[in-house]
Amino acid sequence: MVDRMHSSNGRYSRVFKPIDLGPVVVPNRIFMSPHGIPLEVKSKGGDVSAEPAINRAYYFGERAAGGTGLILHSTQIMSSQTNLAESPYLEASIPAYQRVADEVHRHGAKIFAQIWYVNWVQKAWEKLGPEAPAMAPSALPNLYFPGVRRAMSHREIDLMISTYATSARHLRQSGYDGIELHISHGSIVEYFLSPYFNRRTDKYGGSMVNRARFAVEILEAIKSELSPAQALGIRINADELLPGGIDEEGTKEILQYFCATGLLDFVDLDVSVEPEQVHLMTTGMFDPVLHNAARVARVREGVSGIPVLMTPGRLTNIADAEQLIAAGAGDMIGAVRGLIAEPALVNKSRDGREDERRTCVAVNA
């Protein structure tokens, strides 16, 4: 299967060229972007997410069997916070994650885990209890749900960094090929990085370097838990699309700073802050295809020496991915709904059977 994934045809020679993400060789340039889909087992005695269900392994495995070179698995570092995804923080979940990794590897693909803490989803003190304030760099009201966020103490910052490191260690033990630190879509790390959300006056606030300190400390902690064979990267917004937030020029400056640390093997560029960016994440049938490509192409010049991953939006054919790589917009091209609709999208394109593929029509249902 690996040799078949490496093979190419004349039309898509760029897509079917392997790529090095640090020490990890991915067989082609198509990846399944991280996304939320309920395929988890609930924790014992509770209602929160705990670990990947067997259906998670089969869901990713089918896309790997269909030729997708890299799978990005969205996970939460705290299992008690939300039902959005599984949590690798729990040591008991290692066998379940290992089952997912084994199934993806069986088909010749690679798998990275995206790890993050989402702080815009409502939390509760207990089952059916009142809402608990979410953690954030500064005390500010939520934009989407009613309620507030509270500023984290230095002790809580240290504990969260440790939680990221523990999650990375468990993913290494589970056989995952790499880690993507989520710094977009309303993650706690993005909130520290963004002047829109970060109003701190200590060493974690103010200048760009101070606001980036939390991310760098997390990356250093994760790196210390990874093996030399694993990759480490980030997903970050090309533009927050918020007044007073991080725009394209600000992202370029931040990317140059992160690349200079030597901690990164790749950068994954996306757009906007969740949940405000839902209309850009799951665009409708009347919205333009590849809407994010130009924005990423403008920002990627801030990345030096490492590959750039991008999800252009509504990617339903490999021809578009080939053109984006040829134009220098990105080095790997991601899709979600196109691969949900057609798990074998990559193989059918490679084998000249594109007329057989099922095409996502962006109905979102």
Side-chain angles (χ1 to χ4, degrees):
M1 178 63 70
V2 174
D3 290 338
R4 285 172 54 82
M5 292 179 75
H6 276 269
S7 66
S8 64
N9 56 44
R11 288 187 301 163
Y12 305 134
S13 59
R14 294 176 179 85
V15 165
F16 288 99
K17 181 180 179 181
I19 184 170
D20 296 340
L21 302 183
V24 178
V25 181
V26 181
N28 60 55
R29 304 299 181 96
I30 302 298
F31 70 97
M32 190 172 203
S33 300
H35 56 289
I37 189 167
L39 293 174
E40 65 270 349
V41 177
K42 303 301 180 185
S43 61
K44 294 180 180 179
D47 295 329
V48 298
S49 307
E51 63 185 39
I54 185 65
N55 283 345
R56 171 68 72 185
Y58 293 143
Y59 173 73
F60 284 155
E62 186 173 4
R63 276 77 198 168
T68 302
L70 172 66
I71 306 291
L72 283 170
H73 182 182
S74 179
T75 68
Q76 298 289 329
I77 63 166
M78 294 185 182
S79 62
S80 61
Q81 65 155 128
T82 175
N83 288 328
L84 276 180
E86 308 89 59
S87 175
Y89 177 74
L90 302 173
E91 187 172 7
S93 69
I94 291 175
Y97 279 93
Q98 186 172 34
R99 182 171 58 197
V100 175
D102 288 346
E103 183 65 18
V104 170
H105 290 154
R106 189 168 72 87
H107 299 290
K110 304 296 185 181
I111 183 166
F112 294 172
Q114 179 193 75
I115 55 177
W116 62 308
Y117 171 85
V118 57
N119 66 336
W120 49 262
V121 172
Q122 288 173 299
K123 321 288 190 297
W125 291 112
E126 58 188 357
K127 185 177 181 181
L128 301 181
E131 182 187 355
M135 290 187 287
S138 306
L140 293 171
N142 287 316
L143 295 180
Y144 193 74
F145 297 107
V148 297
R149 304 182 182 96
R150 62 176 181 81
M152 293 171 64
S153 68
H154 281 200
R155 177 178 179 275
E156 287 170 328
I157 289 173
D158 291 342
L159 286 172
M160 185 162 284
I161 293 170
S162 175
T163 301
Y164 272 100
T166 299
S167 298
R169 179 169 68 253
H170 292 164
L171 288 161
R172 169 175 54 80
Q173 294 168 342
S174 300
Y176 276 57
D177 300 295
I179 300 290
E180 177 179 88
L181 175 63
H182 202 10
I183 313 182
S184 56
H185 301 166
S187 74
I188 189 71
V189 188
E190 179 190 1
Y191 274 45
F192 269 83
L193 188 61
S194 172
Y196 185 93
F197 299 104
N198 187 339
R199 312 291 174 83
R200 299 178 75 99
T201 58
D202 61 2
K203 67 178 183 178
Y204 291 101
S207 68
M208 182 274 288
V209 172
N210 278 359
R211 287 183 281 109
R213 189 185 308 276
F214 185 50
V216 171
E217 289 179 350
I218 291 174
L219 287 168
E220 289 172 341
I222 292 173
K223 190 80 169 179
S224 70
E225 294 290 353
L226 298 184
S227 76
Q230 290 178 286
L232 176 59
I234 59 172
R235 184 174 234 198
I236 190 170
N237 286 324
D239 193 330
E240 285 189 307
L241 301 180
L242 289 173
I246 302 171
D247 59 12
E248 291 182 8
E249 291 303 313
T251 298
K252 284 191 249 184
E253 179 187 11
I254 290 166
L255 288 172
Q256 290 167 358
Y257 178 72
F258 280 145
C259 288
T261 67
L263 293 167
L264 301 181
D265 296 311
F266 66 92
V267 169
D268 183 0
L269 290 171
D270 210 341
V271 62
S272 194
V273 182
E274 203 168 327
E276 286 72 36
Q277 56 80 257
V278 168
H279 68 290
L280 297 173
M281 175 176 62
T282 50
T283 48
M285 64 178 69
F286 299 112
D287 293 310
V289 299
L290 312 180
H291 65 87
N292 199 33
R295 183 180 290 109
V296 171
R298 290 192 297 268
V299 170
R300 72 160 297 165
E301 66 186 55
V303 181
S304 57
I306 56 176
V308 171
L309 282 60
M310 66 174 298
T311 304
R314 289 187 64 189
L315 183 83
T316 59
N317 64 78
I318 299 303
D320 284 342
E322 180 77 11
Q323 292 177 5
L324 288 168
I325 297 171
D331 300 301
M332 289 193 73
I333 312 300
V336 174
R337 291 177 296 165
L339 291 170
I340 291 175
E342 180 52 84
L345 175 65
V346 179
N347 282 349
K348 287 182 178 180
S349 300
R350 180 203 61 211
D351 297 339
R353 297 186 292 120
E354 289 172 290
D355 58 337
E356 300 176 15
R357 77 182 191 276
R358 290 188 295 268
T359 302
C360 171
V361 294
V363 172
N364 298 323

